[in-house]
Amino acid sequence: MVMNFDFTKKERFKEERLLEKHLHLANDIIIKNARVYSPQDGLDEVTDVLVNADGIIEKIDKDISGFTANVLDAHDLVLTPAFIDLHCHLREPGFSHKETIESGTKAAAAGGFAVVCAMPNTNPAIDNVATIEYFLDRAEDASVYVLLIAAITKGREGQALSPMNALDQAGAIAFSDDGCSVSDAQIASLAFAYSQKSGKPIMEHCEEPSLAKDGQINDGIIATRLGLCGIPNAAEEVIVARDIALARQTGARLHICHISTAGAVELVRQAKKEGLKVTAEVTPHHLVLDESECLGYNTNAKVNPPLRSLKDREALIAGLNDGTIDAIATDHAPHTAHEKDCEFAYAPFGISGLETAFALVNSLIKDNKISLETAIRALTQKPAAILGIKSTIKVGEEANLVAFDMNEKWLVEAKDFKSKGHNTPLEGRTVQGRVKLTIAKGAVAYKEI
């Protein structure tokens, strides 16, 4: 079915949006008594930050006063550059019953993210200039920045390349058929060659379909116990190895999405030692949870790639610590309750992750598995470098900030999520670490202080 869109020009709303922003920040904002922590800027001190009515960081100093301002007391909070999510699913167009740009970006703000990168597995897929313009126009009103990843192949079907050059010119920041790999090696090779010209990365969901066919969870003892088909580590590692070879051949940039196996981590480690343009991301749920979450046929723990073994999880943490893995990305994948409330084999893959991401990462900090510096760089500086954008707390720069309490404990109740997706394996659990303030695009996008 052909879908018709009303492509409203962005300029039509420009004056209204400027007015809305002015009204939202009628006064300056002073964030007081925060531990301002930005390792990329060499900042780690308890101080105040002044954000002026234009959304610009005007001053960073002790005891800022003498301004007509909204004062926010951030005592006992850590203030860092806002988080950047390289990988999420906003489900629009086509699946607005699962999520919309509006609900997804509200969830992002609640999770501390000022920038999210939306994947193109929509209906229709983001594989042509018309749909990319439609999406970007819709995203213009969002309270956080929304960047768009375009499809590598038409319809994400793996049969023919999308017009990659045109999509690049229209505003795509990367290319991916996320949800599946480009399994045809010749088509993948052509995609790498085209992306090399633009300098935009190929962001690959690494899974060989012939090896993963009918798989539901990690191939291991839990799958055997539950009588479910497993997805072996090799399904991921075969495509990681192939794409590294294509990156070597073409000189293109390769970004490995949601890396999940020890073998894949080692392949990326060796590619980086070779000097190839290869980066990788890992999700909070793959860092913290394992395949045992699927016991009891818990469909909210069904995700692709699957939650792996304890050995794989330890390799992911090690890869994050030694720099093999660059970024932490949510792979936020919302679904409706009725879609998950069914037999395990029929439930869709995916976890709603934007609003619990920081708590999961913080659990690793609390357990001394990673440092605060490693976490913040992986949530801010490193994804920014992959995208070619800024992540900083500096006078004169636009304010994109997050303040969080590393000690606050809270009960995960998905009914309170901003996201339409309540599919989380953390339901009913007490977690530690909560976002209290997000400033994005220079304006308050979320506030609990």
Side-chain angles (χ1 to χ4, degrees), residues 126-445:
I126 309 297
D127 64 358
N128 60 72
V129 171
T131 51
I132 205 170
E133 288 180 347
Y134 166 81
F135 182 95
L136 291 176
D137 186 74
R138 295 274 294 168
E140 187 74 15
D141 285 324
S143 58
V144 306
Y145 286 106
V146 182
L147 306 180
L148 186 57
I149 298 162
I152 296 172
T153 65
K154 293 179 180 179
R156 298 176 43 258
E157 295 176 350
Q159 302 299 310
L161 288 182
S162 65
M164 294 175 68
N165 291 339
L167 294 173
D168 171 38
Q169 294 298 313
I173 51 92
F175 301 96
S176 180
D177 274 1
D178 188 58
C180 51
S181 298
V182 180
S183 58
D184 187 304
Q186 183 178 26
I187 292 174
S189 179
L190 290 172
F192 273 79
Y194 275 107
S195 71
Q196 193 276 335
K197 295 178 181 178
S198 71
K200 305 290 176 66
I202 294 290
M203 300 180 73
E204 184 79 280
H205 173 123
C206 295
E207 182 181 71
E208 170 50 53
S210 63
L211 292 175
K213 185 179 180 181
D214 299 324
Q216 301 296 317
I217 66 172
N218 184 51
D219 186 26
I221 190 169
I222 303 297
T224 301
R225 185 184 303 181
L226 297 177
L228 295 171
C229 292
I231 301 174
N233 287 23
E236 180 169 312
E237 292 155 11
V238 163
I239 299 297
V240 172
R242 182 203 72 178
D243 283 2
I244 288 172
L246 294 177
R248 181 186 299 112
Q249 172 183 288
T250 61
R253 296 173 59 197
L254 166 65
H255 180 78
I256 306 296
C257 292
H258 42 49
I259 195 168
S260 73
T261 77
V265 172
E266 185 57 31
L267 286 166
V268 172
R269 184 176 286 118
Q270 294 306 315
K272 287 194 168 191
K273 287 180 179 178
E274 190 180 336
L276 301 180
K277 298 174 184 176
V278 177
T279 55
E281 70 188 34
V282 65
T283 72
H285 48 266
H286 284 106
L287 286 169
V288 177
L289 307 177
D290 62 66
E291 60 190 335
S292 65
E293 296 287 335
C294 295
L295 288 170
Y297 299 96
N298 181 8
T299 58
N300 282 327
K302 183 179 179 181
V303 66
N304 192 12
L307 298 175
R308 299 287 188 181
S309 69
L310 287 171
K311 180 181 177 181
D312 289 310
R313 187 163 71 86
E314 290 169 358
L316 296 174
I317 293 170
L320 185 64
N321 280 322
D322 69 17
T324 299
I325 298 173
D326 302 85
I328 297 172
T330 69
D331 191 15
H332 172 72
H335 294 288
T336 63
H338 78 269
E339 288 173 309
K340 282 286 193 177
D341 187 16
C342 61
E343 293 180 29
F344 199 95
Y346 297 107
F349 294 100
I351 290 172
S352 180
L354 282 166
E355 293 166 84
T356 57
F358 175 70
L360 288 179
V361 174
N362 189 54
S363 72
L364 296 173
I365 300 171
K366 292 294 183 181
D367 291 341
N368 296 313
K369 298 290 183 64
I370 65 174
S371 67
L372 176 62
E373 178 178 353
T374 295
I376 297 307
R377 288 188 187 275
L379 285 164
T380 63
Q381 179 189 15
K382 290 189 174 183
I386 291 168
L387 296 172
I389 63 177
K390 293 181 179 180
S391 174
T392 186
I393 302 179
K394 284 184 179 177
V395 172
E397 296 289 351
E398 182 180 72
N400 290 286
L401 307 168
V402 60
F404 49 81
D405 186 335
M406 297 181 67
N407 298 312
E408 181 179 336
K409 294 181 179 180
W410 56 286
L411 180 68
V412 177
E413 294 182 282
K415 65 179 177 61
D416 296 328
F417 282 1
K418 306 295 183 186
S419 171
K420 286 187 175 184
H422 296 171
N423 47 306
T424 172
L426 303 177
E427 175 70 28
R429 299 189 194 183
T430 298
V431 295
Q432 187 173 12
R434 193 162 203 174
V435 170
K436 308 297 284 186
L437 172 71
T438 303
I439 295 178
K441 299 183 177 181
V444 173

Side-chain angles (χ1 to χ4, degrees), residues 35-109:
R35 177 189 173 188
V36 179
Y37 182 70
S38 180
Q40 51 263 49
D41 297 311
L43 284 174
D44 187 4
E45 60 180 325
V46 176
T47 190
D48 297 350
V49 176
L50 170 64
V51 179
N52 68 28
D54 294 320
I56 304 300
I57 299 173
E58 187 168 313
K59 192 174 186 180
I60 303 172
D61 205 351
K62 302 284 187 181
D63 194 22
I64 297 174
S65 59
F67 293 84
T68 302
N70 296 320
V71 177
L72 302 176
D73 186 5
H75 181 71
D76 290 334
L77 303 184
V78 181
L79 184 77
T80 75
F83 305 149
I84 298 169
D85 189 8
L86 289 172
H87 187 146
C88 75
H89 301 270
L90 298 183
R91 304 300 194 200
E92 194 175 346
F95 303 104
S96 58
H97 59 290
K98 298 174 186 276
E99 193 78 287
T100 62
I101 293 170
E102 180 182 7
S103 62
T105 52
K106 285 181 178 177

